[in-house]
Amino acid sequence: MKAILLHHAGGDKYAYRNMQERLLPEIESIAFELPGRSDRFTEKFVSNLEEAVSDIYEQLISQLPDEYCIVGNSMGSIVGFLLAHKLKQDNKPLPKHLFLASRLSPDAYRNEPNIIGISSDDFWKVVQQYDGVPEQLLAHRELKEFYEPILRADFELLQHFNQTFERAAPLDIPATILFGDKDVRNVSAEKMQGWRKFFTTEIDIQSFEGGHFFLYENEKVVDFIKQKVLQDIRS
């Protein structure tokens, strides 16, 4: 069993470094990243979410495991959800489980405020709504200048998707929706229920201690994922 790991907006594959170590030896993992960051810094950003999904798909398909799960955090959750749809459309082996963290269902963001073209100061006010952004980043002008284009690219492709999303057929894949109990500005147990209509089977919704980036920080999440994956293998 392998875990396919998909990062948050503004992130890269190294966000999962600690989780990858903790998943071993039961679960090996592959962390993917989009262009314009980290090891792919010289590549152009993707311009929409469809391109983002296609980019991850092309990376994955050449090494698609026989048995795997998908773990997505925040933006990575919607990428993972759409990736599962693309795999199904192309008649590829589907993941045994989807773990989608720190993001509401795809139809929940239609009325989000516009962030395209806003000033740098206003943009960083939006970023700060996502608990866990390091204070040293917010206080360091050069770091903010470095990360702002990456964050803007990701936030803008999400906004375009939010405004154009109409519907998606429910997936017949076991899924668990995860959220941090302190991530109250972004998600809640009640709002996470919206994911249920996007799956044909009953899904699990679980909270863990932590904020928006609890997935990277709370070691109990790894134990939970291992337990779920083992259940899927046995069933």
Side-chain angles (χ1 to χ4, degrees):
M1 173 67 73
K2 285 191 176 180
I4 307 305
L5 309 176
L6 305 173
H7 61 75
H8 61 283
D12 58 42
K13 65 184 181 182
Y14 295 107
Y16 280 104
R17 183 179 293 168
N18 290 336
M19 175 179 279
Q20 288 185 284
E21 293 178 359
R22 293 196 293 265
L23 284 170
L24 294 171
E26 293 91 343
I27 303 175
E28 297 180 350
S29 59
I30 311 170
F32 292 111
E33 64 188 1
L34 293 171
R37 70 210 71 211
S38 183
D39 294 353
R40 305 182 68 187
F41 179 72
T42 59
E43 300 179 46
K44 290 183 179 180
F45 298 120
V46 294
S47 58
N48 57 62
L49 204 53
E50 183 178 17
E51 285 184 20
V53 173
S54 294
D55 182 278
I56 299 297
Y57 177 87
E58 292 302 323
Q59 294 183 69
L60 172 61
I61 207 66
S62 63
Q63 51 184 319
L64 187 64
D66 292 331
E67 291 191 327
Y68 66 100
C69 63
I70 291 176
V71 181
N73 193 37
S74 196
M75 180 182 76
S77 290
I78 193 63
V79 172
F81 174 75
L82 296 175
L83 178 62
H85 273 279
K86 185 168 179 59
L87 288 159
K88 180 180 179 181
Q89 174 186 318
D90 290 355
N91 293 313
K92 302 298 183 183
L94 297 178
K96 298 295 183 182
H97 205 106
L98 290 179
F99 296 94
L100 308 179
S102 296
R103 186 167 177 87
L104 302 178
S105 58
D107 59 340
Y109 297 89
R110 190 176 297 277
N111 297 318
E112 287 288 285
N114 178 58
I115 57 92
I116 298 175
I118 64 176
S119 69
S120 180
D121 287 344
D122 286 341
F123 178 74
W124 282 102
K125 290 177 184 177
V126 173
V127 173
Q128 288 179 66
Q129 294 177 13
Y130 296 88
D131 300 321
V133 178
E135 288 296 327
Q136 60 266 33
L137 169 58
L138 298 173
H140 199 294
R141 181 172 60 83
E142 288 79 8
L143 280 177
K144 287 172 68 177
E145 289 176 353
F146 177 83
Y147 280 107
E148 184 170 330
I150 302 171
L151 282 161
R152 275 189 183 268
D154 290 349
F155 276 50
E156 289 181 7
L157 66 85
L158 285 171
Q159 179 157 64
H160 178 72
F161 174 79
N162 296 341
Q163 293 171 341
T164 58
F165 177 80
E166 293 184 1
R167 64 184 180 86
L171 288 170
D172 186 19
I173 299 173
T176 301
I177 310 303
L178 312 170
F179 67 99
D181 60 2
K182 296 179 176 62
D183 191 17
V184 293
R185 287 187 290 186
N186 299 291
V187 299
S188 68
E190 180 180 1
K191 291 179 179 178
M192 282 299 205
Q193 304 299 319
W195 274 108
R196 295 192 184 279
K197 59 181 170 291
F198 291 94
F199 293 89
T200 60
T201 56
E202 185 67 19
I203 63 174
D204 194 8
I205 299 176
Q206 291 284 334
S207 68
F208 288 86
E209 183 178 358
H212 192 68
F213 297 106
F214 77 95
L215 188 72
Y216 305 136
E217 300 162 353
N218 190 328
E219 294 186 9
K220 292 182 179 179
V221 179
V222 176
D223 296 333
F224 178 83
I225 290 174
K226 287 182 178 181
Q227 180 183 11
K228 278 282 189 181
V229 167
L230 290 174
Q231 288 176 358
D232 292 336
I233 293 173
R234 292 168 185 156
S235 61

